[in-house]
Each structure stands twice: as C-alpha cells, then as structure tokens.
Amino acid sequence: MESEVFENLRLELRRGSLILAVLAQLRTEQYGYVLRKSLTDLGLAIDENTLYPLLRRLETQGLLASQWREEDKRNKRFYRLSTEGEAILARLLAEHEAMNAALDRILQAATDAPGPEEEREETNAIQ
Amino acid sequence: MPSNDMLARYLQAVGFWLPPATKQDIIAEISEDLHSQIDDRAASLGRPLNDAEVAEILKQRGRPVVVAGSFLPQHQLIGPIMFPIYIFVLKIVALCYFLPSFVVWLGYVIFDPSFGGLHELGMFWSLVWTAFGIITFIFAVLDRTSNRSKFISEWDPRKLPKASHKQPSRKRRDIGAIVFGILYLGWLLVVPDFPYLVMGPAAYFVKFATVWHSIYPWLIALAVAGILEATVSLLRGLPAWEPPAFKIANNCVCLWLLNMLWSAQTYFIAQAPQFQQYAVAANLIARICIAGTALGMLIALVAEAWHLVRALTEPRESAVTRIA
C-alpha cells in the first residue's frame, strides 16, 4: 500500500520533469531511440511507451517539429525543438528554477526549525 | 527470418488498435525503435539475436493493446468537473424516485396476491437502467459542450449556502437506530395477527410452526434492548467499547436462536392438507435462509470482536473524544 502511494507520487513528480528534460534535450535534433538512450545515460530513464506518445503530444502542441529522414539505410523520425518550443522551454526553465529555489528554502527552514524534542528541552531549561 | 516474422506480427497487433489516420506513422516509428533496439543488442552480443531474445524485447515493450493505448487520447465520458454533480443527481434520482417506487412495489407484492410482482420488477429494472443511461448521456453532452473555464471562474463565495452544524455521526446513528428499532418492534408486534407481513401471499397456504412461539419473545426482547441501548447512548453517551460489545452479545443470542430454529426443522405448516407441498418448499427455503443468516452472523461476530479489541486497546483520550 505504502509503496503504491510512493509509486503514484513518484510518477506525478517525474511527469513535469520528463517534459522539461525532453524539450531541453531536443535543442539538438535527435530521433526517438537516440533521445531515449541519451536521457537514460544522463540518469533519467524513460519508458518507450511514455516517450513516443509524449513526443507526439508535444508536436501536436507545436513545441516540437519532426521530419522523417533516412539514416543508416533506415527511415527515422527526427525531432527538434520548434521556435515556439524554445520560448516555452525558456519560461518553463525559469519556473523550474523558481520552484527549486522555493523548495530549497522550505526544506532549509524545516531543517533549521527546532524539533518537538528540542522545544521540550528549551521549555524545561526556561522553567 | 522467424524474428522478423515475430516483429511483423507484433506490429500488426499494435496497429489493430490504432486509428487509421495515424496508424502507419505510429507503426513506422515503433518499428524503427524496435529495430534500433535489436541492432544495438546484436552489436553488443556480436551476433544476431535469436527468437527468444527478440521475444524478450517485445515482451518488455508491452502487450500490443497497451502499447497502442498509450498513443491514444485519454477518453472519459464525464470529466472531473462534472462528475461530482453527476453522482449527486444519480443519488437524488435513486433516493427520491427509485427507492419510493421499490417500496410501493414491495407493498403490492406483500398485500396484493394478484399483483404480477416479477413482471413489474422487470419493468422497474428496465426503468432504472434507462434513467441511468439518460442521465449519463445528458452529463456526457454537458461535459463536452459546457464552458468549463467559465464554470470554474465565475462563481460568488457570498452565494454559497449557510454552513450547517452537523451532529456528530454517533448521535445520528443512535437516532436512526431508535427510529428504525421502533418501526421494527411495531412490525414484530403485529406479525402474529398479520402473517402476510412476513410471508406475503404464501400466508394463504402456510402458517407459522410452534417453534416460533419460543423464538418470538426473544425477538421482542432483542428489539427492545436495541432501542434501549441506542436511547442510553444518545442521552448519556457510552464508552467506545460498548457498541461492539452490545453487538457481540446480540449476535450470540441470535446465533443461539438460529441454532434452535435449525434443530426444529419445521418452520411452517400447511393451512390445509392440499397445501402440503407449499409447506415443504417454504421449510426448505427457510432452512437455506437460516444457514445463510448464521454464516453472516458469524462473520459479523468476528468483525465486531475486532472492533471491540481496537476500542479497548485505543488510547483512552481518543475514545472519549469520539463519544463527545
């Protein structure tokens, strides 16, 4: 039960980050298989059944442009960030940085705050 | 090439579930990705992959219908904005229309032997499904046509209904137990004069056997005890362990009564010799009901025992808080 809850939350947490990673990685043109490998090599493994539908969705939204081209005697679909995608990515990255900074401050504040044990000790010392 | 054949079969199976407009494009991309994977693996092994290894790659990719499904838009009949309203409307219709209709139907079945109960029940059932279908259809249409952003943003907090101060759930439960307990007791008291209330039209053919004479006072006592317990709980409050303890005692008495009934074997006797076959059938049905009820009581007994253990082992403060 606990692991199921964790898994759902983990997927939720990953969802936004994956989009950001895919958009950022496609600043240089790549086809699906190479993109997935490069993301895995950089520490962000992504399932094929998540990546390819995501690429199509981003393309439908106008953030990516694609082109079928022959390479190594096989037809491959190459994706790259569109002009609109670049603008959106810049805004998303700014948002991501702001969120990360806020989260860092929240976590730091939580670490600095005295725990229940310390509070009790302080109260006893005053008395 | 058996491996190529397997791949072609896999792609065909995925394609079966895809819409014609995008099918070829998606299949080509999946095919390319699988070929790249196979080539990569073959390069690392230094030899072509065998069937088992290709099958492993395909299995890892997923069942064709699941793979195809990931490319399709997520459909829902009624979206999350409309869904709570849809459920609310269904509940209102069930409570204000179907429940009263069902009670009326039940009344006819019990008091009017000429009433075609089964036929009417079939009609009623069709009506339920039709209403469910119509309401679902209306909400599905509303969900697609309504202006969602307007619905979300245009509302006034000042127009919300006044906050109601609900009674604690324990009190509501007690009031419910008293009301239904009194109704049950009233019903129980008139049953000897109106056996129709239990047997329906069958009362014309059969009557209660003598075993019920010894069971009946216990049933009255249990009903009175239930009303008293709920009344005391409502007026003075009872510790958290009391309701499960009361139910355990209640269930034990019921099981003892069921055991008495089971041993008796005859629960109904024919009103006249020519109705003997009805009495046999009624006794058989009653025996099955007794066995089923006893089983249910045993399960409930275990559940209540668990509640009792939890109530006794819970911290005292939380138990007191719950009563308050």
Side-chain angles (χ1 to χ4, degrees):
Chain A
M1 179 66 192
E2 194 186 324
S3 62
E4 194 185 322
V5 170
F6 171 76
E7 190 54 30
N8 287 339
L9 292 173
R10 191 182 71 89
L11 287 176
E12 245 174 76
L13 196 64
R14 267 172 62 93
R15 205 164 291 145
S17 309
L18 285 178
I19 294 173
L20 210 56
V22 167
L23 290 176
Q25 200 65 10
L26 286 175
R27 282 186 281 210
T28 51
E29 193 182 57
Q30 292 176 54
Y31 63 94
Y33 184 72
V34 168
L35 170 64
R36 196 169 70 84
K37 272 182 74 174
S38 63
L39 286 171
T40 307
D41 291 345
L42 292 167
L44 198 67
I46 179 168
D47 181 70
E48 302 96 331
N49 296 328
T50 305
L51 178 66
Y52 286 103
L54 174 64
L55 289 172
R56 281 171 182 272
R57 189 155 58 85
L58 293 173
E59 190 185 14
T60 312
Q61 290 168 343
L63 307 184
L64 298 179
S66 78
Q67 188 187 27
W68 280 99
R69 219 168 46 230
E70 196 178 303
E71 193 188 87
D72 298 334
K73 294 179 185 170
R74 266 215 313 265
N75 265 334
K76 291 167 183 175
R77 188 178 197 162
F78 287 83
Y79 292 91
R80 64 178 166 73
L81 204 60
S82 67
T83 319
E84 195 185 339
E86 276 173 29
I88 293 277
L89 176 61
R91 286 173 64 187
L92 284 176
L93 285 174
E95 184 72 23
H96 180 250
E97 272 171 30
M99 273 188 70
N100 266 352
L103 197 59
D104 283 345
R105 285 195 297 275
I106 290 164
L107 293 175
Q108 189 58 48
T111 316
D112 293 346
E117 282 294 320
E118 290 166 27
E119 251 177 23
R120 211 170 295 140
E121 278 169 19
E122 273 175 30
T123 317
N124 289 341
I126 293 164
Q127 283 168 354
Chain B
M1 289 279 280
S3 298
N4 272 343
D5 177 54
M6 201 191 309
L7 196 60
R9 280 189 286 144
Y10 182 80
L11 293 171
Q12 180 183 280
V14 174
F16 177 81
W17 301 102
L18 292 170
T22 51
K23 184 173 162 177
Q24 287 309 321
D25 197 52
I26 293 173
I27 289 295
E29 195 164 26
I30 296 175
S31 167
E32 201 293 310
D33 183 77
L34 287 169
H35 274 115
S36 294
Q37 263 193 61
I38 291 167
D39 289 353
D40 235 16
R41 184 80 63 85
S44 67
L45 292 172
R47 59 166 175 80
L49 299 191
N50 57 32
D51 269 6
E53 287 159 341
V54 173
E56 193 191 321
I57 289 177
L58 297 180
K59 194 156 170 53
Q60 185 262 328
R61 174 54 73 95
R63 199 178 268 273
V65 66
V66 178
V67 174
S70 66
F71 284 90
L72 299 174
Q74 300 295 308
H75 288 297
Q76 50 192 6
L77 200 57
I78 298 165
I81 295 171
M82 280 289 169
F83 195 75
I85 309 169
Y86 164 69
I87 291 293
F88 179 72
V89 169
L90 280 183
K91 280 181 185 169
I92 294 286
V93 170
L95 210 68
C96 299
Y97 182 66
F98 291 122
L99 190 65
S101 304
F102 182 74
V103 171
V104 169
W105 172 83
L106 205 63
Y108 270 111
V109 168
I110 293 170
F111 295 107
D112 182 3
S114 64
F115 183 67
L118 271 180
H119 176 252
E120 291 296 326
L121 184 66
M123 298 260 290
F124 175 74
W125 193 238
S126 313
L127 201 67
V128 168
W129 281 109
T130 310
F132 174 70
I134 290 171
I135 293 169
T136 307
F137 176 74
I138 290 171
F139 272 88
V141 171
L142 277 176
D143 194 62
R144 271 152 189 77
T145 54
S146 62
N147 187 342
R148 284 175 213 175
S149 57
K150 196 175 167 187
F151 180 78
I152 291 169
S153 59
E154 288 186 14
W155 66 286
D156 188 351
R158 286 165 296 193
K159 288 181 183 169
L160 290 172
K162 282 183 181 172
S164 65
H165 300 286
K166 285 185 177 176
Q167 288 175 297
S169 61
R170 178 82 177 263
K171 278 191 178 175
R172 280 209 308 273
R173 214 167 47 228
D174 289 340
I175 291 168
I178 292 168
V179 170
F180 285 104
I182 289 170
L183 285 174
Y184 170 62
L185 184 63
W187 176 80
L188 211 54
L189 288 170
V190 296
V191 158
D193 295 326
F194 301 96
Y196 249 74
L197 292 171
V198 173
M199 295 188 260
Y204 179 73
F205 307 108
V206 292
K207 59 183 176 185
F208 290 117
T210 48
V211 65
W212 293 103
H213 295 166
S214 47
I215 298 285
Y216 186 69
W218 284 100
L219 295 179
I220 298 281
L222 284 175
V224 172
I227 296 169
L228 287 177
E229 190 257 355
T231 310
V232 173
S233 172
L234 180 70
L235 298 177
R236 297 180 56 186
L238 289 168
W241 57 264
E242 192 279 338
F246 179 78
K247 281 176 191 162
I248 288 171
N250 201 339
N251 281 10
C252 287
V253 175
C254 287
L255 281 167
W256 173 63
L257 294 175
L258 286 168
N259 183 46
M260 273 172 69
L261 281 171
W262 185 258
S263 312
Q265 298 195 358
T266 305
Y267 319 107
F268 302 102
I269 45 179
Q271 293 273 21
Q274 68 267 32
F275 298 144
Q276 191 54 40
Q277 75 269 31
Y278 296 118
V280 172
N283 281 320
L284 183 67
I285 293 167
R287 208 158 167 75
I288 294 167
C289 290
I290 289 165
T293 312
L295 186 67
M297 286 274 176
L298 279 171
I299 295 168
L301 197 65
V302 174
E304 290 305 335
W306 171 242
H307 286 152
L308 180 63
V309 169
R310 283 186 61 186
L312 289 171
T313 52
E314 252 180 8
R316 200 176 166 79
E317 282 167 34
S318 63
V320 172
T321 313
R322 252 206 348 260
I323 295 162

